Amino acid sequence: MLLASVIAYLAISVLIGLYVARNVHNASDYAVAGRHLSLPVVTATVFATWFGSETVLGISSEFVEKGLGGIVSDPFGAALCLILAGLFFAPKLYRLKLLTIGTYYRVRYNKAVEVFCSICIILSYLGWVAAQITALGLIFNILSDGAMSQSTGMIVGALIVLTYTVFGGMISVAYLDAIQMVVIIVGLAFIAWVVGDLAGGVGTVISHANQAGKLNFFPDTASLALWVPFIGAWLTMMLGSIPQQDVFQRITSAKSETVAKQGAVLGGTLYFIIAFIPVFLAYGATLIDPAMFTRLLEEDSQLILPNLVLLHTPVFVQVIFFGALLSAIMSTASATLLAPSISFSENVVKAVFPHIPEKFSLLLMRVCTVIFAICVMFFSLNSELSIFHMVKQAYQITLSAAFVPLAFGLYWSKATTQGAIVSIVVGVTTYFFGGSPWFFGGLDTEIWPTHLVALITGSASIVIFSLLPQWLPHRPLLRDGVVHSN
């Protein structure tokens, strides 16, 4: 019954995605849903995109190992990212009417900044999408009782998500997200009620976690060795996720600037609240099945929550849980597969081949989606990182390279192309080579994470080199909040 229900759910999702795909007629429909999405749909797609495998399996497993302090990047940083994006970035970006975040770098600076920042953004998605595909493989392996290997499950899962994403684009993703958000919230709330009852009540679980020191959030001593990595982890997702195509798409898919702003804030707030349900569920295993909890904590803490549900709840509860889990994974997988593919087609391929006819734009986006899916499969099949750390590391490169030119470009009129280029070069160099001995003796990366130092040095560089005499031409197409043609 469980396996049949999951197969039926997947089939229905694909059919809905393909049905909605009938409304895709051009590149704008595919990339930003024709900019017609209402507030409930924008809120749903913001929430569902971010509520993925790392939220259900990754955050929960990280919490049971390290407590609240171990999940500062997600959900704390992740939720703040969406709220900040809504309050400070959505209004300015929505008015520009662009298809991709990469295009912003061209109209504000030049084509070189566009291509380099777009490549960094695209690469950052490898880890995020791979985390979802890895989770799908894990779920199929569990549901088939080992009959389907995890690698085979990853391939099957990728093909399912690719099917409706490649045809429907943002329209299919958005409307499926709305359905999947309801399944996620209702399903997890019901599971929390069941597990809470098994564990002796919500208060009992929280009290046990508090006594075990799991609710300590801030470092307990005033030491740089603890506080600097803590702040670095927080900023990684809080700021590093803002210059992302999936965030930009949801902002610019809204039917108005107000909807874009409110949808991001509401989606982020909802994400923060619901993200703690899997945390509660996983920690409840310490009281319900201590032996299983201890064993999986040593082997693979990501399996604690699904095994708790399989071993201690009736079949209909299992159906609800895995339906909610698959909803979370598929909504994130489809969105994070679509976003970098559109960026690659618009900001890399078209930068190299600028004379591609507009009528081929939609086909190009779909081809890039298939190619990126293949790249993700190779990455996920060969990665040894946990789901949580795949996602966490995904944003370090965008924090180092893309955030500073975006933020300064929007809020500091004196930012120049020269300043942006130097900032990117300094930020990326610091990120990749900051720990090397030849880099000013090498950073102690245990205390000073290279992505945090890259953010600091990149910010200083854009200010200094924008104020110095300009050796590089600066002729932005973005003037007075309006994009001008050449």
Side-chain angles (χ1 to χ4, degrees):
M1 179 180 173
L2 175 59
L3 190 57
S5 299
V6 168
I7 293 172
Y9 177 78
L10 292 173
I12 291 170
S13 297
V14 172
L15 290 174
I16 293 174
L18 293 177
Y19 178 78
V20 177
R22 299 178 310 151
N23 298 313
V24 176
H25 304 295
N26 52 50
S28 177
D29 291 337
Y30 194 80
V32 292
R35 297 189 174 91
H36 297 311
L37 300 185
S38 63
L39 179 58
V41 178
V42 173
T43 302
T45 193
V46 167
F47 167 82
T49 295
W50 283 58
F51 202 98
S53 62
E54 72 284 356
T55 314
V56 181
L57 301 177
I59 292 176
S60 61
S61 67
E62 199 73 7
F63 174 81
V64 298
E65 290 186 35
K66 302 177 182 178
L68 278 183
I71 58 173
V72 60
S73 61
D74 194 2
F76 291 93
L80 275 173
C81 164
L82 295 173
I83 294 171
L84 292 175
L87 294 175
F88 300 105
F89 292 83
K92 289 179 176 289
L93 292 174
Y94 185 85
R95 297 168 200 157
L96 301 179
K97 305 296 182 185
L98 303 174
L99 282 182
T100 67
I101 186 69
T103 307
Y104 168 80
Y105 295 101
R106 172 164 54 83
V107 301
R108 181 60 176 83
Y109 301 109
N110 67 6
K111 188 174 289 188
V113 178
E114 171 195 20
V115 172
F116 197 87
C117 284
S118 295
I119 290 173
C120 289
I121 291 169
I122 291 164
L123 290 175
S124 73
Y125 277 97
L126 276 174
W128 197 6
V129 188
Q132 314 313 314
I133 301 303
T134 300
L136 284 173
L138 183 67
I139 297 307
F140 288 141
N141 176 257
I142 292 173
L143 291 177
S144 65
D145 198 22
M148 180 183 291
S149 68
Q150 185 169 344
S151 57
T152 302
M154 290 162 65
I155 295 171
V156 171
L159 289 174
I160 292 171
V161 174
L162 182 63
T163 299
Y164 66 82
T165 304
V166 77
F167 288 104
M170 186 61 192
I171 290 180
S172 290
V173 169
Y175 284 97
L176 271 174
D177 280 352
I179 297 171
Q180 289 163 339
M181 183 189 78
V182 175
V183 175
I184 291 167
I185 294 176
V186 174
L188 288 180
F190 178 74
I191 300 297
W193 176 70
V194 173
V195 170
D197 187 56
L198 290 172
V202 174
T204 302
V205 176
I206 295 176
S207 176
H208 190 280
N210 186 45
Q211 292 174 7
K214 298 298 183 181
L215 301 187
N216 297 331
F217 181 63
F218 295 104
D220 53 9
T221 59
S223 167
L224 280 178
L226 296 176
W227 274 95
V228 174
F230 177 82
I231 294 171
W234 200 333
L235 293 179
T236 297
M237 290 193 72
M238 185 173 74
L239 301 182
S241 305
I242 290 177
Q244 290 283 3
Q245 176 63 16
D246 63 281
V247 176
F248 179 85
Q249 278 179 284
R250 275 133 197 83
I251 289 171
T252 53
S253 296
K255 66 179 182 180
S256 70
E257 182 181 318
T258 301
V259 169
K261 179 178 179 179
Q262 293 176 348
V265 173
L266 289 173
T269 304
L270 191 61
Y271 174 81
F272 182 76
I273 296 170
I274 304 301
F276 282 97
I277 295 181
V279 168
F280 169 79
L281 295 175
Y283 197 79
T286 61
L287 301 176
I288 299 171
D289 192 339
M292 181 271 290
F293 179 88
T294 303
R295 176 174 57 83
L296 291 180
L297 190 61
E298 296 177 355
E299 296 175 4
D300 187 352
S301 58
Q302 295 175 136
L303 297 176
I304 290 175
L305 184 49
N307 273 274
L308 172 68
V309 173
L310 284 173
L311 295 175
H312 296 280
T313 63
V315 175
F316 79 94
V317 176
Q318 297 172 22
V319 171
I320 294 172
F321 171 76
F322 283 100
L325 178 55
L326 284 171
S327 291
I329 296 171
M330 290 172 63
S331 61
T332 302
S334 57
T336 52
L337 183 61
L338 179 65
S341 306
I342 291 174
S343 289
F344 185 75
S345 64
E346 287 293 304
N347 304 118
V348 178
V349 176
K350 286 188 175 182
V352 179
F353 304 102
H355 301 298
I356 294 177
E358 191 62 30
K359 64 180 179 180
F360 291 120
S361 292
L362 179 56
L363 176 61
L364 178 61
M365 288 179 181
R366 284 172 166 159
V367 170
C368 288
T369 303
V370 174
I371 293 173
F372 191 75
I374 295 171
C375 294
V376 167
M377 280 306 307
F378 278 107
F379 180 84
S380 53
L381 286 170
N382 292 284
S383 177
E384 296 182 357
L385 292 173
S386 69
I387 291 171
F388 182 84
H389 287 92
M390 278 187 188
V391 176
K392 182 179 176 181
Q393 289 192 3
Y395 303 110
Q396 293 178 359
I397 182 62
T398 48
L399 179 66
S400 304
F403 175 75
V404 170
L406 173 64
F408 278 82
L410 287 173
Y411 282 97
W412 192 44
S413 60
K414 294 182 180 180
T416 66
T417 301
Q418 176 176 285
I421 290 176
V422 174
S423 170
I424 293 168
V425 172
V426 169
V428 171
T429 302
T430 303
Y431 173 64
F432 283 109
F433 305 107
S436 301
W438 60 266
F439 189 88
F440 301 104
L443 294 169
D444 184 350
T445 55
E446 294 294 323
I447 300 177
W448 294 97
T450 56
H451 58 278
L452 177 59
V453 179
L455 174 65
I456 298 170
T457 56
S459 299
S461 297
I462 197 171
V463 172
I464 294 170
F465 284 87
S466 291
L467 296 177
L468 286 175
Q470 301 297 294
W471 295 282
L472 294 176
H474 180 61
R475 294 186 293 271
L477 301 178
L478 179 61
R479 298 188 296 274
D480 302 319
V482 178
V483 179
H484 297 263
S485 59
N486 287 313

